[in-house]
Amino acid sequence: MNSANPAQPLGTGTARRSTQTATLAEIAREAGVSAPTVSKVLNGRADVAPATRTRVEGLLRDYGYRRRRAEATRSPLIDLVFHELESAWAMEVIRGVENVARDEGLSVVLSESAGRLTPGRTWADQVAARRPHGVILVLSGLDASGQALLTSRAIPFVVLDPAGDPGDDVPSIGATNWQGGLAATRHLVELGHTRIGAISGPSRMMCSRARVDGYRAALETAGLPVDPELIRPGNFHHESGYRAGLELLRSPDRPTAVFAGNDLQALGLYEAARELGLRVPEDLSVVGFDDLPVARWVGPPLTTVRQPLTEMAEAAARLVLELGRRAQPAAATRMELATSLVVRSSTGAPPA
């Protein structure tokens, strides 16, 4: 195969011809394009129409083509993709990926999908052209087209803290969110609270739903009712914790404790309590989730569920590099790191 053909057939797999492997010229004829166009698709060039790229990639995948010497042709990069990049939470993730990348002599490319949980095709084309060692997607995932594009380039990818079910064939790293919600609420129950509120994160995110499910489970196990009026939606930002906090704390039968879906919402709840003249923890106990550095320095220091964000990011980086070194694809890895309750000064017995 000459230099214009940067891939080699590894077998037929689901190929349309069972007795031989197609040449790139044959794939070009079947796709109705020129051989140079097929070569452009294999090289991740952007100057190919999306419909043509999809058609050619489908044929390459059917005939079992993968890039030759993928390790040698990769750029010394790890792509790290956030759906939003604007909080201390993201900094903990970046720190973890950077720790591994630095040890491997790699750099990290940051990008944001502007709030979308699935990056668009333009992003996928750019990644294919960069040819990084791997891609880590935070709170997001890839659609079938994006997965096929990266797979055809032998670019491994891992989803970190997936927003939804990433699928059985997608490697992912998460945390025990349900257990964390259970531990946070059980702590408040053991302190004597019977009217406990919750501020959730976005309902579309699996981690948010799991934390609230853990909250519900703790109440039910303790024989306490789950009052829908005490559960308020949030978006994992400070402002939503403030707004939901005002709603909860202005109610006639307000809660004496609140489990906030993350630390940023807990800080918003602090602000709402101060505005209403309530003291933490004398009048209101608060538990967060994440254990960001700021949780130790606010007044009072925040009781929270530690999510090992830096360790999760390090595990994702190590996994994506390991996947890139394997000669053959392996079964997808799904890993959950343990959460733990960190008790500080924002929780106490309910007011008499």
Side-chain angles (χ1 to χ4, degrees):
M1 193 172 293
N2 62 34
S3 60
N5 295 340
Q8 59 181 347
L10 298 182
T12 57
T14 56
R16 303 173 189 211
R17 296 185 180 91
S18 60
T19 60
Q20 62 177 341
T21 310
T23 66
L24 294 189
E26 289 172 325
I27 288 175
R29 283 196 297 271
E30 190 166 343
V33 299
S34 66
T37 297
V38 176
S39 183
K40 286 180 181 181
V41 172
L42 279 166
N43 279 292
R45 292 269 297 277
D47 54 338
V48 178
T52 299
R53 183 188 300 279
T54 300
R55 187 164 67 253
V56 171
E57 285 171 350
L59 289 168
L60 291 169
R61 189 166 58 253
D62 286 348
Y63 284 111
Y65 270 81
R66 295 183 66 199
R67 295 187 58 79
R68 174 187 289 168
R69 298 184 303 277
E71 184 77 25
T73 62
R74 290 177 184 144
S75 300
L77 305 171
I78 295 176
D79 263 72
L80 178 58
V81 188
F82 291 87
H83 83 296
E84 292 178 343
L85 184 57
E86 57 178 40
S87 72
W89 187 94
M91 292 305 300
E92 295 301 299
V93 172
I94 294 169
R95 180 176 293 111
V97 176
E98 284 278 8
N99 288 344
V100 175
R102 183 172 56 250
D103 290 343
E104 296 285 341
L106 304 175
S107 299
V108 178
V109 176
L110 296 179
S111 56
E112 183 187 57
S113 59
R116 298 190 304 271
L117 294 182
T118 301
R121 181 63 191 227
T122 299
W123 168 86
D125 286 338
Q126 292 171 347
V127 171
R130 279 196 293 270
R131 302 175 191 165
H133 273 61
V135 175
I136 300 172
L137 301 113
V138 184
L139 280 173
S140 58
L142 290 174
D143 57 20
S145 174
Q147 289 187 32
L149 177 60
L150 296 190
T151 299
S152 71
R153 304 298 185 283
I155 300 174
F157 56 91
V158 171
V159 179
L160 175 62
D161 202 10
D165 184 357
D168 293 336
D169 58 340
V170 176
S172 64
I173 305 290
T176 54
N177 290 288
W178 183 88
Q179 184 63 40
L182 179 79
T185 311
R186 180 180 290 162
H187 170 65
L188 295 170
V189 170
E190 291 173 348
L191 288 171
H193 295 274
T194 58
R195 191 156 177 80
I196 302 170
I199 304 174
S200 72
S203 60
R204 61 181 177 165
M205 291 186 179
M206 187 165 60
C207 62
S208 171
R209 298 194 301 271
R211 292 171 195 178
V212 175
D213 286 345
Y215 155 86
R216 290 193 180 99
L219 294 179
E220 291 168 353
T221 300
L224 297 174
V226 179
D227 185 349
E229 290 299 312
L230 291 181
I231 304 174
R232 298 301 166 103
N235 61 11
F236 284 157
H237 293 291
H238 176 279
E239 293 79 8
S240 69
Y242 170 73
R243 289 193 302 269
L246 288 178
E247 293 173 4
L248 286 169
L249 300 179
R250 282 172 172 164
S251 62
D253 189 13
R254 67 171 181 82
T256 60
V258 176
F259 166 46
N262 73 342
D263 289 349
L264 295 181
Q265 290 183 155
L267 297 183
L269 178 60
Y270 269 36
E271 184 178 347
R274 281 195 298 270
E275 187 171 308
L276 297 177
L278 298 175
R279 299 165 299 163
V280 177
E282 292 84 358
D283 302 312
L284 176 71
S285 287
V286 178
V287 181
F289 200 110
D290 284 335
D291 195 24
L292 298 177
V294 67
R296 285 167 276 173
W297 307 117
V298 295
L302 178 65
T303 295
T304 186
V305 176
R306 182 177 185 271
Q307 180 175 209
L309 292 171
T310 300
E311 293 91 333
M312 289 164 61
E314 289 173 344
R318 285 192 292 266
L319 176 57
V320 81
L321 294 177
E322 177 189 345
L323 292 172
R325 293 178 183 125
R326 293 177 182 173
Q328 296 293 335
T333 299
R334 302 187 71 171
M335 183 188 307
E336 285 192 340
L337 275 64
T339 55
S340 58
L341 182 68
V342 180
V343 178
R344 297 194 178 101
S345 305
S346 67
T347 51

